[in-house]
Short mmCIF file of all heavy atoms in Angstrom, two decimals:
data_model
loop_
_atom_site.label_atom_id
_atom_site.label_comp_id
_atom_site.label_asym_id
_atom_site.label_seq_id
_atom_site.Cartn_x
_atom_site.Cartn_y
_atom_site.Cartn_z
N ALA B 1 49.36 166.21 -42.82
CA ALA B 1 48.73 167.53 -42.49
C ALA B 1 47.49 167.30 -41.59
O ALA B 1 47.24 167.96 -40.77
CB ALA B 1 48.47 168.44 -43.74
N ALA B 2 46.81 166.27 -41.89
CA ALA B 2 45.57 165.86 -41.15
C ALA B 2 45.87 165.18 -39.81
O ALA B 2 45.15 165.30 -38.88
CB ALA B 2 44.55 164.97 -41.92
N ASP B 3 47.02 164.40 -39.94
CA ASP B 3 47.42 163.67 -38.68
C ASP B 3 48.93 163.54 -38.68
O ASP B 3 49.43 162.70 -39.34
CB ASP B 3 46.60 162.18 -38.75
CG ASP B 3 47.03 161.44 -37.41
OD1 ASP B 3 47.80 161.91 -36.58
OD2 ASP B 3 46.62 160.19 -37.37
N PRO B 4 49.57 164.34 -37.87
CA PRO B 4 50.92 164.47 -37.82
C PRO B 4 51.67 163.05 -37.48
O PRO B 4 52.88 162.90 -37.73
CB PRO B 4 51.41 165.49 -36.90
CG PRO B 4 50.20 166.34 -36.84
CD PRO B 4 49.03 165.48 -37.08
N SER B 5 50.83 162.22 -36.81
CA SER B 5 51.60 160.95 -36.40
C SER B 5 52.05 160.10 -37.62
O SER B 5 52.86 159.20 -37.53
CB SER B 5 50.60 160.14 -35.62
OG SER B 5 49.52 159.80 -36.42
N TYR B 6 51.43 160.38 -38.78
CA TYR B 6 51.85 159.68 -39.98
C TYR B 6 53.27 160.07 -40.50
O TYR B 6 53.79 159.38 -41.19
CB TYR B 6 50.94 160.05 -41.32
CG TYR B 6 49.63 159.14 -41.14
CD1 TYR B 6 48.43 159.66 -40.79
CD2 TYR B 6 49.75 157.90 -41.58
CE1 TYR B 6 47.38 158.87 -40.78
CE2 TYR B 6 48.57 156.96 -41.53
CZ TYR B 6 47.44 157.60 -41.21
OH TYR B 6 46.27 156.76 -41.13
N ARG B 7 53.85 161.06 -39.92
CA ARG B 7 55.27 161.52 -40.11
C ARG B 7 56.20 160.41 -39.84
O ARG B 7 57.25 160.22 -40.43
CB ARG B 7 55.56 162.83 -39.58
CG ARG B 7 56.96 163.43 -39.79
CD ARG B 7 57.14 164.74 -39.26
NE ARG B 7 56.52 165.70 -40.10
CZ ARG B 7 55.48 166.45 -39.73
NH1 ARG B 7 54.87 166.28 -38.56
NH2 ARG B 7 54.91 167.42 -40.62
N ALA B 8 55.88 159.68 -38.71
CA ALA B 8 56.74 158.65 -38.17
C ALA B 8 56.28 157.22 -38.65
O ALA B 8 56.71 156.29 -38.08
CB ALA B 8 56.92 158.76 -36.74
N ASN B 9 55.28 157.21 -39.50
CA ASN B 9 54.55 155.83 -39.80
C ASN B 9 55.61 155.12 -40.56
O ASN B 9 56.04 155.43 -41.77
CB ASN B 9 53.29 156.18 -40.59
CG ASN B 9 52.56 154.83 -40.82
OD1 ASN B 9 53.02 154.06 -41.65
ND2 ASN B 9 51.50 154.72 -40.18
N PRO B 10 55.93 153.98 -40.20
CA PRO B 10 56.97 153.15 -41.05
C PRO B 10 56.44 152.81 -42.47
O PRO B 10 57.36 152.73 -43.28
CB PRO B 10 57.07 151.75 -40.20
CG PRO B 10 56.65 152.17 -38.80
CD PRO B 10 55.53 153.18 -39.00
N GLU B 11 55.17 152.59 -42.66
CA GLU B 11 54.75 152.34 -43.97
C GLU B 11 55.05 153.43 -44.95
O GLU B 11 55.47 153.22 -45.97
CB GLU B 11 53.29 151.90 -43.94
CG GLU B 11 53.04 150.45 -43.48
CD GLU B 11 51.59 150.05 -43.78
OE1 GLU B 11 50.69 150.48 -42.99
OE2 GLU B 11 51.33 149.46 -44.87
N VAL B 12 54.73 154.74 -44.45
CA VAL B 12 54.95 155.88 -45.30
C VAL B 12 56.42 155.91 -45.65
O VAL B 12 56.72 156.15 -46.70
CB VAL B 12 54.51 157.19 -44.46
CG1 VAL B 12 54.90 158.39 -45.27
CG2 VAL B 12 52.95 157.08 -44.34
N ILE B 13 57.30 155.65 -44.64
CA ILE B 13 58.69 155.87 -44.86
C ILE B 13 59.23 154.68 -45.85
O ILE B 13 59.93 155.00 -46.83
CB ILE B 13 59.51 155.82 -43.55
CG1 ILE B 13 59.10 156.89 -42.55
CG2 ILE B 13 60.95 155.74 -43.76
CD1 ILE B 13 59.62 156.85 -41.15
N LYS B 14 58.63 153.48 -45.68
CA LYS B 14 59.14 152.51 -46.51
C LYS B 14 58.63 152.62 -47.96
O LYS B 14 59.43 152.34 -48.93
CB LYS B 14 58.65 151.10 -45.98
CG LYS B 14 59.24 150.70 -44.74
CD LYS B 14 58.80 149.30 -44.24
CE LYS B 14 59.51 148.89 -42.93
NZ LYS B 14 58.86 147.67 -42.43
N TYR B 15 57.46 153.20 -48.15
CA TYR B 15 56.92 153.37 -49.51
C TYR B 15 57.84 154.39 -50.26
O TYR B 15 58.18 154.29 -51.36
CB TYR B 15 55.61 153.75 -49.49
CG TYR B 15 54.56 152.49 -49.52
CD1 TYR B 15 53.97 152.10 -48.34
CD2 TYR B 15 54.19 151.97 -50.83
CE1 TYR B 15 53.13 151.01 -48.47
CE2 TYR B 15 53.26 150.94 -50.78
CZ TYR B 15 52.77 150.47 -49.69
OH TYR B 15 51.93 149.39 -49.73
N VAL B 16 58.01 155.56 -49.56
CA VAL B 16 58.86 156.60 -50.13
C VAL B 16 60.30 156.17 -50.36
O VAL B 16 60.89 156.48 -51.47
CB VAL B 16 58.76 157.93 -49.29
CG1 VAL B 16 59.48 159.05 -50.00
CG2 VAL B 16 57.30 158.40 -49.13
N LEU B 17 60.78 155.48 -49.37
CA LEU B 17 62.23 155.01 -49.59
C LEU B 17 62.38 154.06 -50.73
O LEU B 17 63.38 154.14 -51.43
CB LEU B 17 62.67 154.43 -48.20
CG LEU B 17 64.16 153.86 -48.23
CD1 LEU B 17 65.15 155.08 -48.49
CD2 LEU B 17 64.57 153.23 -46.94
N ARG B 18 61.35 153.17 -50.90
CA ARG B 18 61.41 152.22 -51.89
C ARG B 18 61.43 152.94 -53.28
O ARG B 18 62.16 152.55 -54.18
CB ARG B 18 60.37 151.31 -51.86
CG ARG B 18 60.40 150.16 -52.89
CD ARG B 18 59.18 149.12 -52.65
NE ARG B 18 59.06 148.61 -51.43
CZ ARG B 18 57.99 148.70 -50.59
NH1 ARG B 18 57.07 149.33 -50.94
NH2 ARG B 18 58.15 148.10 -49.42
N GLY B 19 60.64 153.96 -53.35
CA GLY B 19 60.76 154.81 -54.67
C GLY B 19 61.92 155.39 -54.90
O GLY B 19 62.47 155.47 -55.94
N PHE B 20 62.53 156.09 -53.73
CA PHE B 20 63.71 156.82 -53.87
C PHE B 20 64.93 155.94 -54.32
O PHE B 20 65.76 156.41 -55.15
CB PHE B 20 64.13 157.39 -52.61
CG PHE B 20 65.40 158.11 -52.49
CD1 PHE B 20 65.61 159.24 -53.10
CD2 PHE B 20 66.55 157.46 -51.69
CE1 PHE B 20 67.02 159.77 -53.11
CE2 PHE B 20 67.76 157.98 -51.72
CZ PHE B 20 68.01 159.19 -52.24
N ILE B 21 65.00 154.73 -53.92
CA ILE B 21 66.11 153.89 -54.20
C ILE B 21 65.91 153.07 -55.54
O ILE B 21 66.98 152.47 -55.93
CB ILE B 21 66.45 152.86 -53.03
CG1 ILE B 21 65.35 151.92 -52.82
CG2 ILE B 21 66.84 153.59 -51.77
CD1 ILE B 21 65.62 150.90 -51.75
N THR B 22 64.77 153.06 -56.04
CA THR B 22 64.60 152.34 -57.24
C THR B 22 64.40 153.07 -58.51
O THR B 22 64.28 152.44 -59.60
CB THR B 22 63.28 151.34 -57.08
OG1 THR B 22 62.12 152.13 -56.77
CG2 THR B 22 63.58 150.40 -55.99
N THR B 23 64.13 154.47 -58.39
CA THR B 23 64.01 155.31 -59.58
C THR B 23 65.22 155.23 -60.39
O THR B 23 66.37 155.06 -59.84
CB THR B 23 63.60 156.63 -59.22
OG1 THR B 23 64.61 157.13 -58.29
CG2 THR B 23 62.25 156.78 -58.72
N PRO B 24 65.11 155.18 -61.80
CA PRO B 24 66.34 155.08 -62.60
C PRO B 24 67.35 156.10 -62.21
O PRO B 24 68.53 155.82 -62.29
CB PRO B 24 65.76 155.27 -64.06
CG PRO B 24 64.39 154.91 -63.92
CD PRO B 24 63.88 155.28 -62.56
N SER B 25 66.96 157.31 -61.97
CA SER B 25 67.82 158.57 -61.62
C SER B 25 67.38 159.12 -60.29
O SER B 25 66.26 158.83 -59.71
CB SER B 25 67.84 159.49 -62.79
OG SER B 25 66.62 160.05 -63.03
N TYR B 26 68.26 159.91 -59.77
CA TYR B 26 67.97 160.52 -58.44
C TYR B 26 66.75 161.42 -58.55
O TYR B 26 66.52 162.18 -59.39
CB TYR B 26 69.10 161.40 -58.11
CG TYR B 26 68.94 162.13 -56.77
CD1 TYR B 26 69.37 161.43 -55.54
CD2 TYR B 26 68.53 163.50 -56.64
CE1 TYR B 26 69.32 162.09 -54.36
CE2 TYR B 26 68.45 164.08 -55.44
CZ TYR B 26 68.84 163.41 -54.15
OH TYR B 26 68.77 163.99 -52.97
N ASN B 27 65.73 161.11 -57.65
CA ASN B 27 64.51 161.86 -57.52
C ASN B 27 64.45 162.90 -56.44
O ASN B 27 64.42 162.50 -55.23
CB ASN B 27 63.27 160.87 -57.51
CG ASN B 27 61.94 161.65 -57.65
OD1 ASN B 27 61.70 162.54 -56.85
ND2 ASN B 27 61.18 161.08 -58.59
N GLY B 28 64.70 164.21 -56.71
CA GLY B 28 64.78 165.15 -55.74
C GLY B 28 63.51 165.26 -54.90
O GLY B 28 63.62 165.57 -53.63
N ASP B 29 62.27 164.99 -55.49
CA ASP B 29 61.00 165.24 -54.62
C ASP B 29 60.94 164.11 -53.62
O ASP B 29 60.61 164.44 -52.48
CB ASP B 29 59.96 165.04 -55.61
CG ASP B 29 59.73 166.25 -56.58
OD1 ASP B 29 60.30 167.39 -56.26
OD2 ASP B 29 59.25 166.16 -57.65
N LEU B 30 61.33 162.83 -54.02
CA LEU B 30 61.32 161.82 -52.94
C LEU B 30 62.34 162.11 -51.89
O LEU B 30 62.09 161.88 -50.74
CB LEU B 30 61.56 160.48 -53.70
CG LEU B 30 60.55 160.02 -54.73
CD1 LEU B 30 61.00 158.77 -55.50
CD2 LEU B 30 59.20 159.78 -53.97
N ALA B 31 63.52 162.53 -52.29
CA ALA B 31 64.56 162.76 -51.32
C ALA B 31 64.20 163.90 -50.39
O ALA B 31 64.43 163.69 -49.14
CB ALA B 31 65.85 163.10 -52.03
#
């Protein structure tokens, strides 16, 4: 919200994706 360029930041994507693929069950918020 403060800096839209973070929307395409690889670190942001990787952190969220790592959480999405490692949670014990499907996490709708991360997805």
Side-chain angles (χ1 to χ4, degrees):
D3 182 358
S5 67
Y6 277 107
R7 182 172 282 111
N9 185 289
E11 282 193 274
V12 172
I13 300 172
K14 288 179 180 179
Y15 271 98
V16 180
L17 179 61
R18 188 179 300 122
F20 171 72
I21 64 177
T22 57
T23 49
S25 57
Y26 182 85
N27 188 304
D29 292 336
L30 295 172

